[in-house]
Amino acid sequence: MVAPLPFSSSFYLPALFLLVVATAAAAVDSAGAASLDDEPPVGLELALTAIDHDDPAGFRHALDRVEETQHGEVIRRHLRTLWLLDRVNEEPAAVAAQLREYPEDPMMPRLKRRYLDYLADRSAWGEYRLVFDRAPEITPGAKRQCVYWQAEIEIEGTLAGEQPEAALATWERGRSQPKACDPVFDWLEAHDYLDEQAYRERIRAAITAGQDGLARYLVGRGPAGLATYRDRWLALRDQPASAVAERIDVEGDGEEITQGLLWLAKQDPARARSLRQRASRLELIDEAQSASVSRLAALKAAYRYEPQAFEWLQEVPVSARDHEVWTWTVRSALRHLDWSRVKQAIDAMPEEIASEREWRFWHAEAEQRLGRTTAARAVWRTLAETPDYHGFLAADRLGIRYPLPENTRRPDPPSAQTLAALQARPWLSLAFALHRLDRPEDARRLFNHALADVPEAELPALAWQADRAGWPCLLYTSDAADEEDSVDLGGRRII
């Protein structure tokens, strides 16, 4: 199992074999082997400087130098992409060619987004649609997606298939959308998609999102009579106790009542429960709606450490109980040291939750407090075999030493063959070079791109190599390891 780290930090994960890339250098070496932390190619640094200073002649000269280095073709492609990123307006044909020829390169999504914006500014509908549909896949965002739909309208004269519904869903969002969406929204209005129901959906979404100004605008623009609907939703949000009671009195819409109850549950869980019971008796809300309110009210009571939280959580229908409900039921009992309830709540948990180490420990604690010492100690002995938080707690309960390995060992240095295999990976090699040149964002992007293709067997060597480079970019773990796999990196024990 391997994961790139999101920031420069050190991590400790017990009971796994870890190679944690830390700032302390490992005191191992592999003489004569090619290394990812070798000095970056001179041409690479020259090219990056030329890009920063908008120096075309210097850039061309640097590319010639790069050609002579290992992985020269990949480095040249990457540099060419970096050059084009800030010069889409000046070299659009070159951008199009780069996207066409190397769609899988790690910087291509950024280049594609910028090229799409260039095409949109020039109303180049055909090319926009072609580039949008072609690799690499991107998350376009509302603006670029709307431009794509506009291109469809301009070329085909209409939206087809699922496109109208997707465009309507964008319009119904509770926040103002980019101006680029206006032509698509005009098309929706001209083709009768923006009916009263659509306006109601968006007004509700706007109020839920706190966008009262948008709701006011929609009331003024949409069909007559929307002001009453808007005001009702504002009351449900801002005065939920009285507004929900009023909606129940007039036997109003179940969806409105449910949302009002959910808002009320955040403020006054007890009042929300009372009104929920009344609405349920009158069959104004269904079982699923009632359960959602019951769940939120009980959890809010638990978060506030209210004494009735345990009973309320126990009353939440099983269909609405998730990990949060199951675990907070136990915590509510623990807060009052009610060991019978602690055991009862853990016994009722689904197996996949009850088997988590935290709840195994507390179940054993409850057993011991209730006089079942033998059963408790058996569980603690199992937990104490693993050096983590609950393993240490279990060791404390048993009065035994923490389960730390007796001896540590230094990791074996990677073989020259393994290091050469890593060095032979062009994107990985380039990522390390960019790290050495203090280009952290691009280095991280290329590293993550390359990491997916590194075999499991090479990951320890990669972690070792990154450690030598002083780059905390990788956490490597193997689930198959045990305490014998404890290693010592630079005098620091990693288990």
Side-chain angles (χ1 to χ4, degrees), residues 73 94 106 138 141 161 168 221 225 231 255 265 300 322 338 391 413 433 475 482:
E73 180 185 351
I138 63 170
L168 179 60
R221 182 179 174 85
D231 293 343
E255 197 169 350
K300 292 301 291 188
D322 53 10
D338 190 329
L475 167 68
D482 57 26

Side-chain angles (χ1 to χ4, degrees), residues 333-344:
L334 281 170
R335 178 167 179 79
H336 299 284
L337 302 180
D338 190 329
W339 300 109
S340 293
R341 283 183 164 182
V342 170
K343 183 178 184 305
Q344 172 193 348

Side-chain angles (χ1 to χ4, degrees), residues 58-209:
F59 182 69
R60 287 192 296 271
H61 173 70
L63 287 186
D64 292 338
R65 297 282 298 275
V66 166
E67 289 268 353
E68 305 165 3
T69 66
Q70 185 183 22
H71 307 313
E73 180 185 351
V74 166
I75 298 175
R76 182 185 176 93
R77 273 169 29 201
H78 177 72
L79 290 170
R80 182 65 176 155
T81 300
L82 291 181
W83 176 269
L84 291 173
L85 275 170
D86 293 326
R87 295 162 182 85
V88 174
N89 289 359
E90 293 81 10
E91 302 184 46
V95 171
Q98 192 83 344
L99 286 168
R100 225 173 16 249
E101 293 175 26
Y102 311 112
E104 302 304 319
D105 284 5
M107 301 296 285
M108 285 304 151
R110 288 180 63 190
L111 187 63
K112 177 175 176 175
R113 284 190 287 268
R114 295 193 184 185
Y115 187 49
L116 286 174
D117 293 344
Y118 166 85
L119 295 173
D121 290 342
R122 285 151 185 80
S123 302
W125 308 121
E127 179 72 3
Y128 188 97
R129 187 170 68 167
L130 183 67
V131 173
F132 189 98
D133 287 334
R134 215 159 45 194
E137 185 176 348
I138 63 170
T139 301
K143 177 182 175 181
R144 296 185 186 95
Q145 183 64 67
C146 281
V147 175
Y148 178 80
W149 288 326
Q150 183 180 2
E152 288 285 303
I153 294 169
E154 297 291 341
I155 295 170
E156 306 295 343
T158 188
L159 295 179
E162 298 177 354
Q163 291 175 341
E165 291 302 321
L168 179 60
T170 299
W171 183 85
E172 288 178 345
R173 293 172 184 169
R175 297 182 181 276
S176 296
Q177 297 303 303
K179 190 171 180 61
C181 292
D182 288 352
V184 180
F185 295 164
D186 290 342
W187 184 92
L188 290 174
E189 189 167 36
H191 291 77
D192 299 325
Y193 283 92
L194 303 186
D195 56 14
E196 181 175 351
Q197 182 58 35
Y199 271 91
R200 285 174 175 255
E201 290 289 339
R202 195 175 189 192
I203 288 171
R204 173 188 169 180
I207 291 172
T208 301

Side-chain angles (χ1 to χ4, degrees), residues 399-412:
I400 63 175
R401 295 179 59 192
Y402 290 158
L404 297 174
E406 296 295 331
N407 300 306
T408 62
R409 63 175 175 83
R410 292 188 182 278
D412 296 328

Side-chain angles (χ1 to χ4, degrees), residues 298-336:
L299 284 172
K300 292 301 291 188
Y303 298 158
R304 298 174 179 181
Y305 305 118
E306 295 181 6
Q308 68 272 31
F310 182 87
E311 289 85 356
W312 289 6
L313 287 163
Q314 289 282 77
E315 293 172 8
V316 175
V318 174
S319 61
R321 295 189 195 181
D322 53 10
H323 192 278
E324 191 84 349
V325 172
W326 289 113
T327 55
W328 273 94
T329 304
V330 182
R331 293 185 184 106
S332 296
L334 281 170
R335 178 167 179 79
H336 299 284

